[in-house]
């Protein structure tokens, strides 16, 4: 790749951007002007509103059915508060009329005073009715609560004095709170709650504007062909556009952050906070900037891929929205209490940066966490870059002009039901049905819910698709015989697959410790309300083995075979993992799905994968019941660890079985396309 040409492309794109007045105004001028104006305006208005609420007089009705010395003392104390306008009533306490007055904010609270006798002493009981959706009512209730607390102390002190007992007898413990957090950490904690959100959203939104224009915009203007016939190669064009997106994203982020910093200092100054001991954490910001580079590359690769795939800017904008929503949700993780960066979270993009930023601003740098975040994000960014380059090299993508298909169930040919778009649509539909119907069914009655889920939500949609499209289900779903040795090899692989799935679960548990409630739920699933073992096997092993295989190996995998055998195996396996709607079981289920896909492709028979699926699920149930009687299994159950030697042996065994499957079925050939006949 010629970097000179890449820089020429980069300069050309940057000049085009800065020639656009809208770009300059929205990305540079507006942040400089808008943030100070908004901050001053909001701070002034907020301060004014707080003062207004504080000074506003609150109307309080009091119904005193006691009229004792204590109740009169409390009413007098309330009347001495300037912001409270106390009105007494002789009506029968709290009623519909006063309820409407409080609900309509005509009065701010109603107090009903009654008394009771306990241990020979009269106790005053105050019931306060207020509206917690109204700021004035909340403020009134807070003031009333403070006055009641103060009056209670005065009454108790008077009773003790009557008994010649000092009120200091109540002072058994004095709590003295000392906040040792330095101002620098307080500022870091404050910034850590919103800075990650702002950085991620600004990076995504600013990059989206540029990326949409760089390729999809070129298609709209009809200038893409001119660029493609220039002396620059496709790789150099992609590199130049990448640099443009990343550079512009950082310019926008920097301008917004600079303006926010000045505005924040102004707001803190208005609040009369001492900023003399607070310094900008320059080192932390430098480390944050370095961590942002791979994240910005990742976003740029996704956005450039979306722009390359899109036919126009409008279509590209619709694709950008989900990315922005994901960024918003994941970036807010640092706001929630209890979330701290660990090696598990360090592998999840966006979440890792959000928690890392919080860690850095608090001055708690963990070098291991930092490196894992950088490396894992760089790996994902590298994959994203390769995808972008691949898309940009395809003429069919760059000049994609085919109109979108309608929402008809299928077109003229049966092959439409095996298009990747249609298959993904079916998968999403089943997933939604599983979530909105299956989950409530299982929560109400686990065993019956599982049966209904498998038959009605997993198997039935596949049968309907094949029936309504008049497709030969036996041929399409590979419901055909195969060599007996294939079944024997699938049976031989079952225990080794189980051990590897358990080991992958062990890895997940190390990175993301399983909560106690999750383990209890899994134990409940294994017991199934103490059903007979044959019924548990039917529900846990046989039904999923038939129904889920019909969906994933009998249908879903067909939608991706045109893209290549291994792509079909891997994609269908990942979808199989996602289908379980269980973050902790995602990796084990996906690996199992990939192995089942391999079995299907090699043996050409779904009956083999059904058997393998049943054996895997039944192994979980059987070993949980009788595993303690098997030496190796009993050790695993006691230590909750899969030995390394067993993992290595299982991998070797599966590789041998995979090789045997390949040799045994070498003479068979998978048809490229399903016959339409």
């Amino acid at each position: 790749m010629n970097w000179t040409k890449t820089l020429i492309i980069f300069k050309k794109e940057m000049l085009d951007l800065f020639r656009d007045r809208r770009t300059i105004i929205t990305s540079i001028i507006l942040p400089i002007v808008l943030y100070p104006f908004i901050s001053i305006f909001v701070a002034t208005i907020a301060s004014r509103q707080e003062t207004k609420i504080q000074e506003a007089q609150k109307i309080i009705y009091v119904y005193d059915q006691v009229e004792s010395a204590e109740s009169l003392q409390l009413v007098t104390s309330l009347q001495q508060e300037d912001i409270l306008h106390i009105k007494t009533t002789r009506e029968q306490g709290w009623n519909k009329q006063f309820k409407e007055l409080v609900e309509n904010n005509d009065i701010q609270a109603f107090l009903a005073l009654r008394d009771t006798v306990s241990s020979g002493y009269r106790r005053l009981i105050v019931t306060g009715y207020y509206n917690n959706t109204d700021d004035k009512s909340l403020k009134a209730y807070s003031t009333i609560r403070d006055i009641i607390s103060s009056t209670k102390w005065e009454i108790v002190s008077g009773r003790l004095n009557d008994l010649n007992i000092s009120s200091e007898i109540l002072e058994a413990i004095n709590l003295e709170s000392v906040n040792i957090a330095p101002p620098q950490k307080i500022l870091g904690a404050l910034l850590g709650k919103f800075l990650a959100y702002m950085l991620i959203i600004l990076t995504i939104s600013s990059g989206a504007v540029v990326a949409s224009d760089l390729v999809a915009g070129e298609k709209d203007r009809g200038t893409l062909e001119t660029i493609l016939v220039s002396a620059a190669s496709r790789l150099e064009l992609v590199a130049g556009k990448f640099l443009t997106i990343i550079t512009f994203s950082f310019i926008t982020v920097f301008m917004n952050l600079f303006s926010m910093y000045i505005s924040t200092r102004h707001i803190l100054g208005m609040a009369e906070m001492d900023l003399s001991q607070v310094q900008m954490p320059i080192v932390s910001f430098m480390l944050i900037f370095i961590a942002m580079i791979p994240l910005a590359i990742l976003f740029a690769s996704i956005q450039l891929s979306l722009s390359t795939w899109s036919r126009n800017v409008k279509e590209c904008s619709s694709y950008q929205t989900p990315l922005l929503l994901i960024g918003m949700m994941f970036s807010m993780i640092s706001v929630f209490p209890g979330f701290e960066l660990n090696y598990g979270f360090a592998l999840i993009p966006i979440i890792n940066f959000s928690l890392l930023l919080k860690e850095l601003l608090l001055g708690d740098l963990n070098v291991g966490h930092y490196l894992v975040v950088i490396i894992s994000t760089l790996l994902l960014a590298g994959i994203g870059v390769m995808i972008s380059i691949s898309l940009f090299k395809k003429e069919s993508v760059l000049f994609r002009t085919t109109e979108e298909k309608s929402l008809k169930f299928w077109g003229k040919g049966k092959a439409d039901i095996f298009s990747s778009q249609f298959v993904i649509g079916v998968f999403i539909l089943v997933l939604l049905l599983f979530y909105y119907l299956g989950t409530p069914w299982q929560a109400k009655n686990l065993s019956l819910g599982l049966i209904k889920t498998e038959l009605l939500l997993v198997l039935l949609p596949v049968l309907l698709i094949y029936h309504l499209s008049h497709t030969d289900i036996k041929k399409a779903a590979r419901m055909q015989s195969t060599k007996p040795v294939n079944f024997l090899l699938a049976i031989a692989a079952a225990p080794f697959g189980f051990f590897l799935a358990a080991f992958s679960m062990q890895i997940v548990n190390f990175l993301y410790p399983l909560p106690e409630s999750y383990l209890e739920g899994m134990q409940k699933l294994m017991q199934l309300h103490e059903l007979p073992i044959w019924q548990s096997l039917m529900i846990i092993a046989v039904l999923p083995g038939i129904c889920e295989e019909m969906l994933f190996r009998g249908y879903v995998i067909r939608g991706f075979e045109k893209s290549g055998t291994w792509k079909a195996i891997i994609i269908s396996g990942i979808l199989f993992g996602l289908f379980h709607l269980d973050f902790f079981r995602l990796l084990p289920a996906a690996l199992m799905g990939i192995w089942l896909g391999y079995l299907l492709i090699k043996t050409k028979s779904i009956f083999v994968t059904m058997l393998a699926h049943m054996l895997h699920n039944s192994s979980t149930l059987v070993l949980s019941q009788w595993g303690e009687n098997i030496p190796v299994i009993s050790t695993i159950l006691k230590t909750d660890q899969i030995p390394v030697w067993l993992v290595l042996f299982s991998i070797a065994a599966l590789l041998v079985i995979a090789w045997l499957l390949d040799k045994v079925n070498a003479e068979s050939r998978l048809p490229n396309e399903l016959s339409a006949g």
Side-chain angles (χ1 to χ4, degrees):
M1 185 175 69
N2 189 326
W3 280 102
T4 303
K5 292 180 182 178
T6 299
L7 291 175
I8 291 173
I9 298 295
F10 170 65
K11 291 177 183 178
K12 176 258 180 192
E13 299 293 357
M14 291 299 295
L15 284 173
D16 287 345
L17 284 174
F18 282 102
R19 286 191 184 116
D20 187 355
R21 286 180 296 177
R22 290 173 298 179
T23 302
I24 301 297
I25 292 172
T26 57
S27 300
I28 297 178
I29 296 178
L30 272 182
I32 296 175
V33 175
L34 206 57
Y35 281 115
F37 175 79
I38 291 176
S39 63
I40 294 171
F41 175 76
V42 170
T44 304
I45 294 297
S47 177
R48 171 57 186 155
Q49 287 301 107
E50 179 64 25
T51 303
K52 186 178 178 181
I53 292 172
Q54 179 71 29
E55 295 177 350
Q57 196 172 56
K58 289 85 176 175
I59 301 174
I60 312 296
Y61 270 86
V62 178
Y63 173 65
D64 183 5
Q65 72 177 40
V66 181
E67 295 187 348
S68 63
E70 287 84 358
S71 67
L72 292 175
Q73 182 179 351
L74 175 59
V75 173
T76 302
S77 299
L78 292 170
Q79 290 173 337
Q80 291 175 351
E81 179 63 42
D82 293 336
I83 66 170
L84 299 182
H85 181 50
I86 305 298
K87 294 185 177 183
T88 58
T89 178
R90 294 291 180 180
E91 296 188 27
Q92 292 302 311
W94 178 251
N95 56 42
K96 183 178 180 182
Q97 174 190 356
F98 288 114
K99 181 179 179 182
E100 291 178 353
L101 289 173
V102 175
E103 287 179 349
N104 297 331
N105 302 324
D106 295 320
I107 66 174
Q108 279 61 60
F110 180 91
L111 301 180
L113 277 59
R114 56 188 176 87
D115 66 347
T116 185
V117 177
S118 177
S119 301
Y121 288 97
R122 188 172 297 277
R123 180 187 301 170
L124 186 64
I125 299 176
V126 182
T127 304
Y129 301 88
Y130 70 103
N131 184 356
N132 72 348
T133 63
D134 178 58
D135 291 334
K136 288 176 65 178
S137 183
L138 279 172
K139 186 64 181 176
Y141 181 73
S142 176
T143 304
I144 291 168
R145 189 172 53 197
D146 292 340
I147 292 173
I148 289 175
S149 178
S150 175
T151 306
K152 179 175 70 174
W153 176 256
E154 293 175 2
I155 293 172
V156 171
S157 297
R159 289 177 178 178
L160 290 173
N161 288 332
D162 292 341
L163 297 173
N164 294 321
I165 299 175
S166 172
S167 60
E168 291 185 2
I169 194 174
L170 300 177
E171 299 288 348
I173 298 177
N174 283 337
L175 174 64
E176 296 180 355
S177 301
V178 180
N179 182 11
I180 63 169
Q184 195 70 37
K185 275 209 168 188
I186 295 174
L187 178 63
L190 177 65
L191 291 175
K193 290 183 177 180
F194 71 89
L195 189 58
Y197 177 84
M198 295 299 299
L199 285 174
I200 291 169
I201 298 306
L202 286 171
T203 304
I204 295 175
S205 58
S206 59
V209 174
V210 179
S212 298
D213 185 69
L214 288 183
V215 183
E218 298 275 14
K219 294 180 182 180
D220 273 347
R221 295 188 294 271
T223 56
L224 183 60
E225 293 84 349
T226 306
I227 296 176
L228 293 176
V229 298
S230 66
S233 67
R234 298 288 176 91
L235 181 59
E236 290 158 356
L237 288 172
V238 172
K241 292 179 182 295
F242 261 122
L243 288 174
T244 304
I245 298 172
I246 295 169
T247 302
F248 195 78
S249 297
F250 277 121
I251 290 174
T252 305
V253 169
F254 175 77
M255 296 307 299
N256 280 271
L257 286 179
F258 174 76
S259 187
M260 277 193 289
Y261 167 70
I262 300 299
S263 304
T264 302
R265 289 188 67 88
H266 180 80
I267 293 173
L268 295 177
M270 289 180 64
E272 298 182 353
M273 292 186 64
D274 184 15
L275 302 177
S276 59
Q277 299 180 359
V278 178
Q279 296 179 351
M280 285 296 290
I282 301 299
V283 175
S284 296
F285 275 115
M286 289 177 64
L287 292 173
I288 291 170
F289 180 81
I290 294 171
M292 275 198 67
I293 294 175
L295 188 66
I297 296 173
L298 175 61
F299 288 148
S301 64
I302 296 172
Q303 290 166 334
L304 191 58
S305 297
L306 294 175
S307 183
T308 304
W309 175 260
S310 304
R311 293 190 301 272
N312 49 54
V313 174
K314 182 180 179 182
E315 182 180 340
C316 184
S317 299
S318 66
Y319 294 150
Q320 299 276 10
T321 302
L323 178 62
L324 185 61
L325 291 175
I326 293 171
M328 290 171 63
M329 291 186 291
F330 281 13
S331 62
M332 291 178 67
I333 200 74
S334 60
V335 178
F336 301 133
F339 280 93
E340 295 181 355
L341 186 61
N342 56 33
Y343 289 108
F345 286 129
L347 299 174
I348 305 177
I350 303 178
I351 289 179
N352 55 11
F353 177 79
S354 180
L355 295 176
L356 176 65
L357 185 143
K358 179 181 178 181
E359 188 176 271
L360 289 173
L361 289 174
L362 288 173
D364 301 327
L365 173 62
N366 184 307
V367 177
H369 292 167
Y370 188 82
L371 292 177
V372 171
V373 171
I374 295 289
I375 294 171
S376 63
T377 309
L378 273 176
L379 289 174
L380 288 175
I383 295 171
V385 170
M386 288 190 291
I387 293 173
S388 296
I389 294 172
S390 175
L391 288 174
F392 205 81
K393 288 182 177 180
K394 294 181 179 180
E395 301 288 336
S396 58
V397 173
L398 287 177
F399 303 104
R400 191 171 67 93
T401 57
T402 305
E403 292 297 325
E404 287 292 327
K405 294 181 179 180
S406 67
L407 293 176
K408 289 169 63 179
F409 189 55
W410 52 75
K412 296 180 180 179
K414 297 175 187 176
D416 286 348
I417 69 168
F418 299 117
S419 67
S420 58
Q421 294 90 343
F422 189 83
V423 169
I424 290 293
V426 172
F427 171 76
I428 293 174
L429 175 62
V430 173
L431 199 66
L432 292 175
L433 291 173
F434 181 81
Y435 180 77
Y436 288 107
L437 293 179
T439 303
W441 288 347
Q442 295 172 29
K444 186 176 181 180
N445 186 317
L446 183 58
S447 56
L448 181 59
L450 287 170
I451 294 172
K452 290 165 63 177
T453 298
E454 293 293 342
L455 293 176
L456 300 179
L457 305 184
V458 179
L459 180 61
L460 184 59
V462 179
L463 298 179
L464 285 175
I465 290 171
Y466 280 139
H467 175 71
L468 295 176
S469 62
H470 304 290
T471 302
D472 185 350
I473 187 171
K474 290 184 178 180
K475 190 173 184 178
R478 297 183 175 93
M479 301 173 68
Q480 57 195 30
S481 61
T482 186
K483 298 176 181 179
V485 69
N486 287 325
F487 290 99
L488 295 176
L489 289 172
I491 294 171
F496 306 115
F498 173 79
F499 290 135
L500 289 182
F503 180 70
S504 65
M505 195 71 178
Q506 183 177 307
I507 294 173
V508 172
N509 186 35
F510 173 75
L511 295 173
Y512 312 97
L514 302 178
E516 192 66 31
S517 58
Y518 179 85
L519 296 174
E520 292 174 358
M522 292 301 296
Q523 186 64 29
K524 181 181 177 182
L525 179 63
M526 290 297 102
Q527 294 173 352
L528 277 177
H529 303 297
E530 306 299 334
L531 290 175
I533 187 64
W534 70 269
Q535 291 184 18
S536 297
L537 285 172
M538 284 294 297
I539 295 172
I540 289 180
V542 177
L543 266 181
I546 296 173
C547 301
E548 292 176 14
E549 286 308 301
M550 283 297 295
L551 174 61
F552 287 95
R553 261 61 64 181
Y555 175 64
V556 169
I557 198 171
R558 283 286 193 184
F560 306 98
E561 288 181 15
K562 290 182 180 179
S563 301
T565 299
W566 276 107
K567 282 187 179 179
I569 292 172
I570 293 172
I571 294 173
S572 63
I574 293 173
L575 293 179
F576 181 69
L578 292 172
F579 171 75
H580 289 77
L581 292 176
D582 187 336
F583 173 78
F584 298 107
R585 284 196 294 161
L586 173 60
L587 178 60
L591 293 175
M592 183 63 188
I594 291 171
W595 171 249
L596 292 173
Y598 180 80
L599 280 177
L600 178 78
I601 296 300
K602 288 299 176 183
T603 65
K604 317 296 188 297
S605 174
I606 196 172
F607 298 127
V608 176
T609 68
M610 286 181 177
L611 176 63
H613 196 147
M614 292 178 194
L615 287 173
H616 179 80
N617 286 14
S618 60
S619 297
T620 306
L621 179 62
V622 171
L623 292 177
S624 67
Q625 296 286 338
W626 298 290
E628 293 181 356
N629 300 324
I630 305 173
V632 176
I633 303 300
S634 63
T635 304
I636 294 174
L637 292 175
K638 290 177 182 178
T639 61
D640 204 24
Q641 297 287 325
I642 307 293
V644 176
W645 69 265
L646 185 56
V647 173
L648 296 176
F649 183 77
S650 298
I651 294 173
L654 283 179
L655 289 175
V656 171
I657 292 172
W659 177 79
L660 289 173
L661 282 167
D662 187 61
K663 290 296 181 183
V664 168
N665 300 282
E667 70 278 6
S668 302
R669 290 292 180 267
L670 181 69
N672 292 327
E673 293 183 2
L674 180 67
S675 174

